[in-house]
Amino acid sequence: MINDNFDIENFPIIESLQTNFTDVISLLGEDVDREGLIKTPERASKAMKFLTSGYEIDPAAILKGAMFKEDYKEMVIVKDIEFYSLCEHHMLPFFGKAHIAYIPNGHIVGLSKLPRVVDVFARRLQVQERLTDQVLNCISDTLKPLGVAIVIEASHMCMMMRGVQKQNSATTTSGFRGAFKEMKTRNEFLKLIASSLS
């Protein structure tokens, strides 16, 4: 959760979204008064507002609220961060895992804040390439570490449910800043996220 107190009922946009979802259902040829669909516009509106709630949150503020002075200067990795997003081209889900590493430069950050930053950017209409850059740049600009790296692996329903309908395809994007531009450091990160330490 981005915010445990997130209350979808507080958004006045819900009523307008309901009207539009009702129109969409009707245009598709369905009976909006059918028992199973009576509350669908309301449910869909609340779901859509939640799934795009990242617009309401400042991801840099999340990091700034949990930065601590520390002399540690080795790699910190948080891997297998699950995320769910909506493709901006078809508004269909894409989902997967993000792997993030940074090398502190005087400050560390609470480990739970990195997944929260991923969630903030994922809960917007997105493309995977932009999501990768936004998370990378936010961490780099806010923490100002010696280096930052990110790899995102995702499956896209727009490729699986429609279009080419390839069920087993996956998309990988990556980004590297600072020390991770060096091949040795980058390879260490890639090796660690590929391995199981259990």
Side-chain angles (χ1 to χ4, degrees):
M1 295 283 289
I2 294 176
N3 183 344
D4 291 336
N5 297 317
F6 186 85
D7 184 359
I8 206 72
E9 301 288 352
N10 289 336
F11 291 98
I13 197 173
I14 293 298
E15 186 174 339
S16 181
L17 284 171
Q18 279 184 235
T19 300
N20 285 286
F21 273 115
T22 299
D23 290 343
V24 168
I25 293 169
S26 180
L27 286 168
L28 291 174
E30 264 288 2
D31 177 6
V32 294
D33 295 318
R34 183 163 62 79
E35 182 181 13
L37 290 174
I38 289 176
K39 292 190 175 182
T40 296
E42 178 185 356
R43 293 189 193 103
S45 300
K46 291 178 180 179
M48 185 59 67
K49 191 58 187 149
F50 176 77
L51 293 172
T52 58
S53 60
Y55 292 114
E56 312 289 335
I57 302 166
D58 178 4
I62 291 173
L63 295 176
K64 290 176 182 176
M67 289 175 60
F68 309 99
K69 289 184 179 180
E70 189 61 54
D71 290 333
Y72 187 79
K73 283 186 166 56
E74 300 298 327
M75 195 181 303
V76 178
I77 300 176
V78 180
K79 67 178 189 175
D80 297 329
I81 301 168
E82 296 178 1
F83 74 90
Y84 302 87
S85 191
L86 289 176
C87 165
E88 69 179 32
H89 299 144
H90 303 97
M91 295 181 71
L92 290 172
F94 70 95
F95 55 91
K97 292 181 178 180
H99 315 283
I100 298 172
Y102 75 100
I103 300 174
N105 186 22
H107 289 88
I108 59 172
V109 69
L111 295 177
S112 68
K113 306 310 176 187
L114 297 178
R116 290 188 71 195
V117 167
V118 173
D119 279 347
V120 168
F121 287 117
R123 289 180 188 164
R124 300 176 180 185
L125 298 180
Q126 274 291 9
V127 294
Q128 185 174 334
E129 297 87 343
R130 185 190 310 124
L131 174 62
T132 303
D133 274 346
Q134 287 178 331
V135 174
L136 182 74
N137 291 334
C138 180
I139 295 169
S140 182
D141 294 345
T142 308
L143 295 184
K144 303 192 184 308
L146 297 175
V148 175
I150 183 170
V151 170
I152 293 181
E153 306 165 288
S155 298
H156 292 249
M157 298 306 287
C158 59
M159 288 181 64
M160 298 167 72
M161 293 177 67
R162 59 167 302 285
V164 294
Q165 299 181 52
K166 299 303 180 188
Q167 305 305 310
N168 299 311
S169 64
T171 301
T172 301
T173 50
S174 63
F176 305 94
R177 297 283 187 277
F180 288 95
K181 290 285 189 181
E182 299 174 12
M183 191 63 69
K184 181 180 177 181
T185 308
R186 183 186 308 193
N187 286 344
E188 180 183 351
F189 165 64
L190 295 174
K191 183 178 178 180
L192 286 169
I193 66 172
S195 67
S196 174
L197 301 178
S198 57

